[in-house]
Amino acid sequence: MPREFGNVTRFDATTAADRQRLIVEAIAAHRERASPFCTFEVDPASAADVETLGVPWIQFVDGIVNLDCTEDELERCKSLIEEFPAFKIDELTRPEDAEGVNVRVSAKADANRIAQFVDRAFERVFDLPGEYRLWVVEL
């Protein structure tokens, strides 16, 4: 039986329209609860190379989209951001004790546009198939 977070009554989706609707609902629930952030994660069965790179995830809080990626994924992220004029990279962090880059993207947009960006980021940045399964794992 699904738990409910605000208006969110399901926690996963596999089509672009359903994933984006899920993201919008999760952002609304996150805001209603004033939670620290909300986290979206790919079902490990949907992603290749999970053992090496880990499960792709994206967090959202206060107009910031946050993700960890490789250098190649960062280049794809930059390309995607060019299609979203209200989005820009605010900060890149390359921790010494970890491979990869933490990317903080400011998202001065409504929840629908943020959902489009997040969904496309999973597909294009993390190179996932169009039918990947997205989970809301933290609100």
Side-chain angles (χ1 to χ4, degrees):
M1 180 160 136
R3 299 177 313 214
E4 289 193 29
F5 293 127
N7 296 331
V8 179
T9 57
R10 66 189 197 295
F11 300 102
D12 71 310
T14 57
T15 67
D18 287 344
R19 289 189 304 259
Q20 290 176 27
R21 197 169 17 259
L22 180 65
I23 293 165
V24 168
E25 291 171 0
I27 289 171
H30 152 72
R31 288 175 173 158
E32 287 172 16
R33 293 170 158 245
S35 64
F37 50 82
C38 59
T39 304
F40 307 100
E41 191 173 280
V42 172
D43 186 310
S46 298
D49 212 9
V50 170
E51 291 180 22
T52 304
L53 300 175
V55 175
W57 58 268
I58 295 176
Q59 287 183 324
F60 175 80
V61 62
D62 296 332
I64 299 292
V65 175
N66 185 42
L67 60 132
D68 284 344
C69 58
T70 65
E71 291 294 336
D72 289 341
E73 291 166 342
L74 174 59
E75 291 309 310
R76 294 192 295 263
C77 184
K78 289 177 179 178
S79 175
L80 178 63
I81 288 171
E82 291 176 7
E83 299 172 24
F84 289 81
F87 292 65
K88 71 174 188 146
I89 294 177
D90 275 348
E91 185 177 350
L92 297 175
T93 305
R94 291 177 171 85
E96 289 182 26
D97 59 344
E99 290 188 33
V101 182
N102 178 263
V103 183
R104 292 176 49 97
V105 177
S106 66
K108 304 216 183 309
D110 66 19
N112 289 317
R113 194 69 171 145
I114 292 166
Q116 290 171 358
F117 177 83
V118 168
D119 186 47
R120 288 186 191 155
F122 277 118
E123 285 185 351
R124 293 188 32 205
V125 173
F126 296 115
D127 198 26
L128 296 172
E131 67 280 353
Y132 77 91
R133 182 176 301 277
L134 179 69
W135 287 90
V136 176
V137 296
E138 195 163 354
L139 270 179

